Amino acid sequence: MESDARLTLVIPAYMEQKTLCTNLLAILDQLTADNIDAKLIVVDDGSRDHTWQRLCEFASERSNVGGIRLSRNFGKETAIFAGISQVQTEYCLVMDSDLQHPPRYIKEFLRVADETGADIIEGVKDDRGRESLSYRLFAKGFYRLLKSASGVDLGNSSDFKLLSRKAIDALCQFREGTVFFRGLVNWSGFTTATVPFSVDARQGDSSKFSSRRLLRFAVDSMLAYTSKPVYLTFLFSVLFFIGTLILGVYTLVNYFSGHSVSGFSTLIILILLLGCLILLSLGVIGLYIARIYDEVKRRPRFLVGDTCQLTPTKFSRGGL
Ligand code: UDP
Ligand code: MG
């Protein structure tokens, strides 16, 4: 893979055998039309179909396309980091392989980067495309929760991002095993500019994120990004303590003034509420302990099964 391009596109792909080549071709056509010299690094996230074979065939005919195959499905976030760690150009643009991040915006990303000198150019969805109502509600709920837990609003942000060399090098230094691309880019705090884009229809089979996967992704991202939920449980306990004090005084006053305390229902409700809160707090703490356990093992973030048309440099926190 040779060229002196200043841009590398990092494209994660999972089970995209049907449309990967046509989509990559559409991207390359757009680059030619816009007169942009760019390399492509496609990361096959351990697909179980023929995505890798298709990709290798495609890459063998083109000098500016390279591929990495992860040994199994590690998830889109990890795939993105595997790709980013191989970028050697001045800029890198992360985009989906299903053309939902339309390549016609690449020119705009570069223009904004040159104009503003920002290290991160963020694609912001001005129209979320066709998403089911349940997905929309779920996404909204997740971002609202994340915002209240960590104060960061990622509502309309996407993984469609252009990163400068400085931002790429910074991201490659991150040591944690579970990565949340959007969150970490935001955390880095580098100067950011935005490019509004409208999400196109998905080219290929349906989305790879089932509701269960989305839920897991949401919990993982939240845990990876913030430890505020633990503080929230502490806040709960303080509130409960205040409630206990008030109710305690009320009960004692009743007792000494000779009124018999009748309150079986109150008692049951209180016990249930307390039980729920204790279990909730234990659950939250448990989730973080599980994450600590995962992190202290210091396993590589991903393993590379194969590469094509690419001489890999050292993978940051991954191994061959
Ligand atoms: N993807 C991936 N690994 C996965 C799931 C998805 O690399 O485990 C890729 C997928 O091939 C696509 C991008 O991530 O290029 C976005 O996936 P998808 O379109 O299914 O998600 P959505 O657009 O619904 O967020
Ligand atoms: Mg998609």
Side-chain angles (χ1 to χ4, degrees):
M1 193 166 140
E2 281 162 26
S3 88
D4 35 66
R6 63 193 279 245
L7 174 69
T8 304
L9 305 185
V10 169
I11 306 173
Y14 177 58
M15 310 280 272
E16 307 277 9
Q17 62 173 10
K18 266 197 212 154
T19 44
L20 184 68
C21 293
T22 33
N23 292 353
L24 291 180
L25 211 55
I27 294 173
L28 289 177
D29 284 347
Q30 185 71 52
L31 288 172
T32 316
D34 292 338
N35 204 8
I36 300 170
D37 188 11
K39 297 178 185 186
L40 267 66
I41 296 183
V42 185
V43 185
D44 173 12
D45 188 12
S47 306
R48 281 169 282 107
D49 60 1
H50 290 106
T51 303
W52 179 243
Q53 285 81 345
R54 300 275 177 286
L55 173 59
C56 289
E57 285 159 23
F58 188 85
S60 64
E61 293 159 15
R62 290 166 185 87
S63 63
N64 59 343
V65 181
I68 302 167
R69 180 187 207 180
L70 303 189
S71 63
R72 65 166 171 85
N73 182 236
F74 282 91
K76 180 184 175 187
E77 309 294 308
T78 309
I80 291 176
F81 272 80
I84 288 180
S85 67
Q86 297 307 299
V87 172
Q88 282 164 352
T89 49
E90 187 188 344
Y91 286 107
C92 122
L93 178 72
V94 176
M95 63 193 290
D96 284 0
S97 66
D98 56 5
L99 300 186
Q100 283 199 295
H101 295 160
R104 61 176 180 277
Y105 290 97
I106 299 175
K107 200 164 100 183
E108 177 66 4
F109 271 90
L110 287 173
R111 191 189 63 75
V112 173
D114 285 336
E115 207 172 271
T116 61
D119 288 304
I120 297 161
I121 315 294
E122 191 164 42
V124 179
K125 297 175 193 167
D126 60 0
D127 156 22
R128 293 191 69 100
R130 278 191 9 231
E131 286 171 349
S132 66
L133 183 70
S134 56
Y135 183 94
R136 221 173 264 251
L137 286 177
F138 182 85
K140 218 174 180 167
F142 166 66
Y143 288 122
R144 190 161 287 177
L145 201 66
L146 191 67
K147 191 174 169 202
S148 53
S150 67
V152 175
D153 188 3
L154 296 177
N156 279 326
S157 84
S158 68
D159 291 334
F160 197 16
K161 289 191 200 308
L162 182 84
L163 307 173
S164 73
R165 189 71 253 168
K166 204 199 292 179
I168 299 167
D169 289 344
L171 285 181
C172 289
Q173 283 176 27
F174 284 50
R175 307 299 307 159
E176 61 257 64
T178 311
V179 278
F180 173 37
F181 179 62
R182 249 171 277 180
L184 292 181
V185 168
N186 188 289
W187 182 92
S188 73
F190 290 125
T191 46
T192 305
T194 54
V195 169
F197 77 100
S198 51
V199 181
D200 277 1
R202 186 174 212 288
Q203 299 300 311
D205 300 333
S206 56
S207 170
K208 301 296 175 309
F209 289 94
S210 58
S211 326
R212 222 178 95 215
R213 241 188 121 163
L214 265 180
L215 187 66
R216 215 182 69 200
F217 172 67
V219 173
D220 274 353
S221 311
M222 176 87 87
L223 297 178
Y225 195 67
T226 172
S227 47
K228 289 271 167 57
V230 176
Y231 296 104
L232 273 180
T233 62
F234 177 68
L235 188 76
F236 273 143
S237 68
V238 172
L239 289 179
F240 223 82
F241 180 67
I242 296 170
T244 310
L245 277 184
I246 296 170
L247 218 67
V249 171
Y250 172 73
T251 313
L252 282 178
V253 169
N254 265 350
Y255 178 75
F256 285 115
S257 59
H259 301 294
S260 64
V261 185
S262 73
F264 185 66
S265 318
T266 322
L267 204 66
I268 293 288
I269 290 171
L270 275 179
I271 290 175
L272 286 177
L273 191 66
L274 194 63
C276 281
L277 280 179
I278 292 173
L279 284 178
L280 182 80
S281 316
L282 276 179
V284 171
I285 296 166
L287 283 174
Y288 279 96
I289 293 179
R291 289 300 302 275
I292 295 170
Y293 178 54
D294 284 342
E295 293 290 338
V296 293
K297 285 187 266 188
R298 307 296 297 148
R299 283 196 191 145
R301 226 179 251 158
F302 56 88
L303 293 174
V304 176
D306 209 349
T307 59
C308 68
Q309 292 273 101
L310 186 94
T311 330
T313 54
K314 191 177 167 297
F315 284 97
S316 75
R317 282 228 53 200
L320 274 169

